[in-house]
Amino acid sequence: MKIFITFLAMLMLNIMFLIYQSDMNIYSREQNYVKAVAEECAAGAALYYEEIPYSIGVLKFNREEAEKHVQYIIDFSFEEEENASYKIDFFEEPETLVPKVNVNISISGKDYFRLSFLTKKEIVREASYELKTLD
Amino acid sequence: MKQFIILMGIIPFLLVFMMQYSLEQQNHYRLSLLQQIVYASKEQAKQDGYFTSENVKKLKSEIASNFDIAESEINIEVTSVPKYRINAFDERELIYYKVEVPIYKIIAGGKLFGISNEDNKMMYKIESYTSSEKLMP
């Protein structure tokens, strides 16, 4: 009986370990995915600029078009139940010499870990795209 | 003797755990690598305005060599006509890409648990859009 109980304990431990390993790998890949989407949103949003200020040498991002781009990519990349939300920050002259766009993406909803004592329901990743002048 | 016989009986069952650990790590490594390969290819496509045939060829050969599969088993659907950077959002000017790669073994010792080879595989898919940085001529 003692051996059987020890075996059961080891079996439980092994199963828990495998579940943790599998969930952790999925969670890690999901983090990479969200990061890649954030980079794509930031890179795309930074392409749109206001033409009139640009004609006098001032770079101002076109917020409306940038928003449309980010919204489209987010809608395509995540399911509805992932509750994806985002925040775009524009940094431009005169506040900074290096104009950039920050995109922060947050997804939440399902628990990424099946083990009851581990809970992780949210992934937040941020990416920034800078427009640097060529030296 | 009785305990030895029982041990012999459960050894294959216990080995499955070790094999599953290795298999899971191998699959994870390959899928992470796939993400990196597709990401690099996508960055090239942004500059070119579309996925050039050389880019797709390189993408296929890199995936095939890392996954130990034939190039014909990889499913790639990408934008193959130039898209341009314009100053207003238009979804028609985005570059589309979809890469599907088969993973042939998800559970180690699948046959021991009655899982057929057909059920023990999946297609891993990466699908998205990216914006073109190529200026209109």
Side-chain angles (χ1 to χ4, degrees):
Chain A
M1 191 65 185
K2 193 176 71 183
I3 295 171
F4 179 68
I5 291 169
T6 312
F7 169 75
L8 270 188
M10 283 177 67
L11 184 69
M12 288 284 288
L13 208 64
N14 275 320
I15 291 172
M16 280 163 67
F17 175 73
L18 285 182
I19 291 172
Y20 171 76
Q21 183 204 21
S22 167
D23 289 351
M24 190 64 201
N25 286 342
I26 292 170
Y27 178 63
S28 154
R29 288 199 297 271
E30 189 69 13
Q31 288 236 25
N32 279 342
Y33 178 70
V34 179
K35 174 74 177 168
V37 173
E39 281 181 15
E40 181 49 49
C41 289
L47 294 179
Y48 305 107
Y49 57 89
E50 298 282 356
E51 290 175 351
I52 294 171
Y54 192 69
S55 69
I56 54 168
V58 178
L59 191 114
K60 294 269 175 207
F61 292 110
N62 187 331
R63 287 159 166 72
E64 195 184 328
E65 298 302 322
E67 185 95 18
K68 282 184 202 168
H69 177 87
V70 172
Q71 187 67 57
Y72 186 82
I73 298 290
I74 298 266
D75 287 348
F76 184 82
S77 305
F78 301 110
E79 304 287 334
E80 204 172 312
E81 59 264 25
E82 288 180 290
N83 300 316
S85 61
Y86 64 90
K87 184 171 171 280
I88 316 175
D89 290 313
F90 297 92
F91 299 89
E92 54 203 6
E93 293 162 326
E95 298 96 45
T96 175
L97 290 174
V98 184
K100 65 176 181 179
V101 178
N102 262 18
V103 174
N104 180 301
I105 296 179
S106 161
I107 59 167
S108 60
K110 65 172 183 181
D111 192 353
Y112 289 95
F113 292 92
R114 284 169 285 178
L115 296 173
S116 55
F117 51 85
L118 279 174
T119 307
K120 189 75 188 165
K121 290 186 174 179
E122 189 181 33
I123 293 179
V124 181
R125 297 305 299 255
E126 187 169 300
S128 185
Y129 194 84
E130 289 184 346
L131 299 176
K132 280 188 175 173
T133 51
L134 290 172
D135 294 324
Chain B
M1 188 64 185
K2 188 182 74 181
Q3 285 181 346
F4 179 72
I5 294 168
I6 293 170
L7 179 69
M8 286 295 114
I10 63 167
I11 269 183
F13 184 68
L14 292 174
L15 280 177
V16 167
F17 287 100
M18 279 193 280
M19 285 158 59
Q20 179 61 31
Y21 169 77
S22 310
L23 183 68
E24 175 67 30
Q25 281 309 106
Q26 187 192 43
N27 284 341
H28 174 62
Y29 171 75
R30 284 180 168 174
L31 294 178
S32 301
L33 199 60
L34 177 70
Q35 285 183 327
Q36 288 174 30
I37 294 169
V38 173
Y39 181 85
S41 181
K42 181 259 294 185
E43 286 298 310
Q44 184 60 46
K46 279 171 90 80
Q47 304 301 316
D48 297 332
Y50 67 111
F51 280 82
T52 60
S53 53
E54 293 82 36
N55 192 357
V56 173
K57 207 174 157 188
K58 190 176 166 219
L59 177 64
K60 266 193 176 177
S61 76
E62 277 188 32
I63 294 171
S65 65
N66 282 298
F67 277 71
D68 282 333
I69 52 173
E71 288 187 11
S72 57
E73 292 171 277
I74 305 162
N75 180 26
I76 295 180
E77 285 174 43
V78 291
T79 299
S80 51
V81 290
K83 302 287 180 181
Y84 297 103
R85 173 183 175 176
I86 52 173
N87 202 21
F89 175 72
D90 186 343
E91 60 190 68
R92 292 169 300 179
E93 289 301 324
L94 292 175
I95 302 166
Y96 172 75
Y97 60 96
K98 182 168 95 171
V99 180
E100 286 181 310
V101 175
I103 301 289
Y104 284 114
K105 215 169 185 184
I106 308 165
I107 304 287
K111 283 183 181 159
L112 196 70
F113 302 108
I115 303 168
S116 67
N117 289 340
E118 205 52 39
D119 292 333
N120 202 9
K121 70 173 186 182
M122 66 160 184
M123 286 296 275
Y124 189 78
K125 181 175 76 172
I126 295 179
E127 182 183 26
S128 191
Y129 284 94
T130 189
S131 49
S132 171
E133 292 184 3
K134 190 176 174 66
L135 293 171
M136 204 170 273

